[in-house]
Amino acid sequence: MATLPNPLPDPAAAGLDLPPGSLVDATLDGPWHEPLLWYADGAADQGDWAGLRAAGRRVGLLPVLVTGGQRDQWPEAWDLSPDSASYPGDHDPEEVLAGYWTDYADDELGDGANAAPADGANGEPGDGASGAPETGSGTGSGSAGAWPGLAPVPAREAAEDPDTAAAGIVAVVAGDADLWLGGTRMALVPARRSADIPAAIGWTGAVNHENDVARLCAVLRSWEDRYDARVVVLGFDTMIVSVGRPPATMEEARALAAEHYAFCPDNIDQSPPYDLDAYAEKAVLDQDAWSFWWD
């Protein structure tokens, strides 16, 4: 994929004074021709993000937290495959999501379990008639229904700058990382925008769902535009996104939950209560961070 000139081969020449760390060029096919990322040797500190972001952005680098997870797998062991990543800007996010919806939703959501109740025998509308995109017919037809389309931009205004919101999530994660992530470290990646970070390093954490991570990045770009989202954490098969402008109503949350399902079906299919409406309420509505994992 197209990138800015990479300053990582000689950070000092680019004016970067980085703490001790590692340059990663390990891929599935052997060493890459240049470093894909730098990450620190030591645990992330809550105050590191702003400084690294300011220093890195000047030379085309963006920060992200990396985690080894419970299996202690750091980026050298992530099976990176930059050759497999195209350019995010070449993909239409709605086409990408609609394709995933067609591939997965009928199989997993097509039993009507997540749908609005069908009209009653007396002809009155069921309680679920909310105007939100339907994830099933509610009639036991076995179909999850057509792709409902992209969710609208939330009506609420953002409370703060998206990068400030991202720094707040990073502070929370870095401060509590050992309890649930197995530790985090600061990293810098040559990328134009936060949404492109997974493609820039050839991340393969979602390979069982999508072979070309740039297609997922196209969706992340759309979330940047609509929800002030930023990619703030990457692990071997996990991702956390900060959200500066989350849905504020259940209608908005349900619409976005359909996108989340298409983007990462495992979030619903393999996570109790296995229900899209419950996911919308608990994981999307008013949430300032979204977590994803792929089996």
Side-chain angles (χ1 to χ4, degrees):
M1 63 172 286
T3 62
L4 296 170
N6 187 349
L8 289 179
D10 191 352
L16 294 173
D17 183 17
L18 299 177
S22 301
L23 293 172
V24 177
D25 64 1
T27 78
L28 277 170
D29 299 316
W32 195 240
H33 61 86
E34 62 182 6
L36 295 165
L37 72 150
W38 166 90
Y39 76 101
D41 289 342
D45 182 86
Q46 298 180 46
D48 291 344
W49 181 269
L52 275 180
R53 182 178 177 277
R57 191 173 189 179
R58 177 176 52 81
V59 293
L61 299 172
L62 292 179
V64 66
L65 288 179
V66 295
T67 174
Q70 301 304 325
R71 292 174 291 184
D72 201 33
Q73 288 179 294
W74 295 95
E76 295 92 342
W78 281 4
D79 296 336
L80 300 178
S81 184
D83 260 342
S84 301
S86 59
Y87 178 58
D90 290 340
H91 305 284
D92 179 85
E94 181 156 21
E95 290 181 4
V96 170
L97 289 170
Y100 295 151
W101 182 266
T102 300
D103 290 342
Y104 294 97
D106 267 358
D107 287 343
E108 301 296 339
L109 302 179
D111 59 2
N114 298 305
D119 289 354
N122 61 0
E124 294 298 321
D127 292 339
S130 65
E134 295 180 359
T135 57
S137 67
T139 62
S141 66
S143 172
W147 163 242
L150 292 182
V153 176
R156 69 161 25 142
E157 294 296 325
E160 56 188 348
D161 173 85
D163 293 314
T164 301
I169 296 300
V170 166
V172 172
V173 172
D176 207 20
D178 288 337
L179 295 179
W180 56 286
L181 286 176
T184 58
R185 302 180 190 178
M186 290 290 175
L188 287 171
V189 174
R192 286 185 171 91
R193 52 194 293 180
S194 173
D196 293 354
I197 286 173
I201 66 173
W203 187 71
T204 61
V207 69
N208 290 336
H209 178 56
E210 172 56 66
N211 290 325
D212 182 1
V213 69
R215 286 165 50 82
L216 296 177
C217 291
V219 177
L220 290 168
R221 282 183 169 203
S222 180
W223 289 347
E224 274 192 1
D225 296 339
R226 287 179 288 149
Y227 300 101
D228 288 350
R230 297 289 187 269
V231 176
V232 292
V233 182
L234 282 178
F236 178 78
D237 55 7
T238 57
M239 177 188 298
I240 298 176
V241 177
S242 67
V243 188
R245 192 180 189 182
T249 69
M250 272 303 295
E251 183 175 0
E252 291 176 346
R254 287 190 188 102
L256 179 58
E259 294 188 29
H260 279 210
Y261 181 82
F263 183 82
C264 181
D266 290 337
N267 262 23
I268 292 89
D269 292 343
Q270 300 198 43
S271 302
Y274 316 106
D275 179 88
L276 201 58
D277 273 354
Y279 176 85
E281 181 177 6
K282 296 181 181 299
V284 178
L285 180 66
D286 287 321
Q287 296 300 305
D288 55 10
W290 303 330
S291 298
F292 302 99
W293 73 279
W294 291 263
D295 194 1

